[in-house]
Structure formats: structure tokens, C-alpha cells
Amino acid sequence: MPNDGGALSITFSERIDILSGNPEASEFIRRFYGSKEHNNDIPRYCLWISDESLARADKIEPIRQRLLLSKETRVKSPDASNRKLAARPHQMREFNEAKCYSFIIPRMTSERREYLPCGVVSNGAIISSQAFTIFDADLWALSLLLSKLHFLWIATICGKFKEDYRYSNDLGWNTFPVPTLTEQNKIDMTRCAEDILLAREHYFPATIADMYDPRSHGQRISLRPGSPRSQR
């Protein structure tokens, strides 16, 4: 969760502007995923700066200006916990990342869908507070998240906002009843997860939102003109 006045979040065009004059800044810019960015493949980025690299990052003027804005925003916050974050304006509230990859689980999903649009992102990606994540889990666990049974469980147990289901790690994931799995079960479920990811690649460059929209069933899925993926 940034709590930074937008200083640590970077749009596609802002990233281009920063790197055009400061190519060394690429070290501190990561892909940033929330539910919307993952489902629609919207390119969004963030500053990701460790304490050890802060001195080098602060020498890059566009980054330095953003860190000043982050600190100013947090100092003026009416929330005491946000004001404490002013002591480290270069970082978001949590500074967690995967070693290999992350599962991303959107916080909200349409009731029209038949499955949760979960996915896998690389270790260089950062997950925002607009999604849940599991760091470096065994791939068979993705089969649980993507199963029809888990979607029905979420629809039954978790709450809704308007017409969307709201995912909850405490209510949905931690309470999901799973029998004791054998090693063969895990091998089979890993293969299922791999098949799902391969099927998504087959329909590239269609987005997750495209593929998981029941209105597109039986129709040809194609890239929408002007979509972010067509501009990269």
C-alpha cells in the first residue's frame, strides 16, 4: 500500500520520460500489478528502492523529486501510521517480494465470471494492495485458486460489493476445505495449472479479462485496437 500521494506509482508514459534522461533509473522501477492491471494487462510501474540503494536512487533527479513528494504527503497525513512512513519515503508500507514468482489473486471479481482470474507474475513484479498474493507457492496451489469449487466457495463465504465478489484471504482462502493431498494429487494438480497457463499463452495477446468473460465464449478472442498491449 503506497500512501504516498502517487509519488511511488509510475504510469507507462512517466516511465518512458524518466528512463529517457536517466537510463540508470531502470534498476529502481518495477512492474506494479493490482487487480485491474493484471486482468487487463495495463502497464503500470512503481519505484522499488531498498535501504542499501537509497543513496544511489536519490541522485537521480526525477526519483528524488518523487521521494520528496512521498515524504511531504505522509508528513501531512491525518493518519498516525502514515506519518510514521515519512521516515522511509522511498518505500511502501510493506516491502515484500517473491524470490521466484508470485500468485496474484484479484480483490474483486465479477459475478459473471465462472472462475477467479488468478495468475502468476515474475519475481521482478510487485503486487499492490488492490490484490492478494502468495509468494513462491508450489504450482499445484494455483489449481485450487482456479478451480470452480474455489470460486463457488468464495461466492458463498465472502461478501460482495455491488455485483462483484470480494476475495478474502481470511474468509476465503484460509477456510477453504481441502482434503489431505497425496504426492500424486499434487503432480496432477501441477499439470492442470501448467495446462491452464499454456492455454492462456495460446490466446495471447488476449487479456485475462477477455478470456474470462463468459460473453466471449464461442467467439473469437482477438486483440482490441488501441489496447495497452497493442501499444507496447
Side-chain angles (χ1 to χ4, degrees), residues 10-12 31-32 37 41-45 228-229 232:
I10 300 173
T11 65
F12 183 70
R31 189 72 186 266
F32 196 38
E37 289 77 19
D41 199 27
I42 298 173
R44 185 183 175 203
Y45 303 85
R229 298 183 89 153
R232 282 186 285 161

Side-chain angles (χ1 to χ4, degrees), residues 14 62 89 91 119 166:
E14 288 172 338
Q91 293 176 350
R166 301 184 66 171

Side-chain angles (χ1 to χ4, degrees), residues 40-218:
N40 298 279
D41 199 27
I42 298 173
R44 185 183 175 203
Y45 303 85
C46 70
L47 290 179
W48 196 252
I49 304 170
S50 66
D51 293 337
E52 294 75 18
S53 61
L54 175 59
R56 286 187 290 110
D58 200 47
K59 293 179 181 178
I60 302 173
E61 185 60 22
I63 292 181
R64 190 179 75 85
Q65 292 298 326
R66 285 176 174 271
L67 299 188
L68 289 173
L69 173 59
S70 173
K71 183 174 184 177
E72 180 182 2
T73 301
R74 292 173 176 180
V75 166
K76 294 179 179 179
S77 174
D79 188 296
S81 62
N82 286 347
R83 292 196 297 273
K84 289 182 180 179
L85 290 175
R88 51 184 186 94
H90 58 295
Q91 293 176 350
M92 302 182 194
R93 191 178 70 185
E94 285 84 25
F95 195 71
N96 303 315
E97 57 182 316
K99 294 180 180 178
C100 298
Y101 56 81
S102 302
F103 295 164
I104 179 170
I105 306 101
R107 281 187 175 272
M108 309 284 290
T109 191
S110 171
E111 66 175 6
R112 297 196 313 271
R113 294 189 174 117
E114 298 179 12
Y115 303 92
L116 290 171
C118 307
V120 182
V121 296
S122 69
N123 61 339
I126 303 302
I127 311 299
S128 81
S129 56
Q130 297 305 307
F132 288 97
T133 185
I134 305 176
F135 297 120
D136 301 306
D138 292 331
L139 193 58
W140 60 260
L142 185 64
S143 288
L144 293 178
L145 289 165
L146 292 171
S147 67
K148 181 70 171 180
L149 185 59
H150 190 56
F151 186 83
L152 293 173
W153 182 260
I154 295 302
T156 304
I157 299 299
C158 298
K160 294 182 70 176
F161 179 75
K162 296 183 179 179
E163 296 182 352
D164 294 335
Y165 295 120
R166 301 184 66 171
Y167 198 88
S168 168
N169 58 334
D170 291 329
L171 290 177
W173 175 254
N174 293 341
T175 64
F176 186 46
V178 180
T180 301
L181 300 174
T182 66
E183 288 306 309
Q184 187 59 50
N185 290 151
K186 294 177 182 179
I187 291 172
D188 293 340
M189 293 168 67
T190 298
R191 186 177 298 112
C192 287
E194 291 171 343
D195 287 344
I196 291 170
L197 296 176
L198 287 172
R200 292 179 179 178
E201 287 298 317
H202 175 75
Y203 288 106
F204 179 84
T207 66
I208 296 295
D210 293 330
M211 290 183 280
Y212 280 63
D213 187 345
R215 294 173 298 185
S216 66
H217 289 183

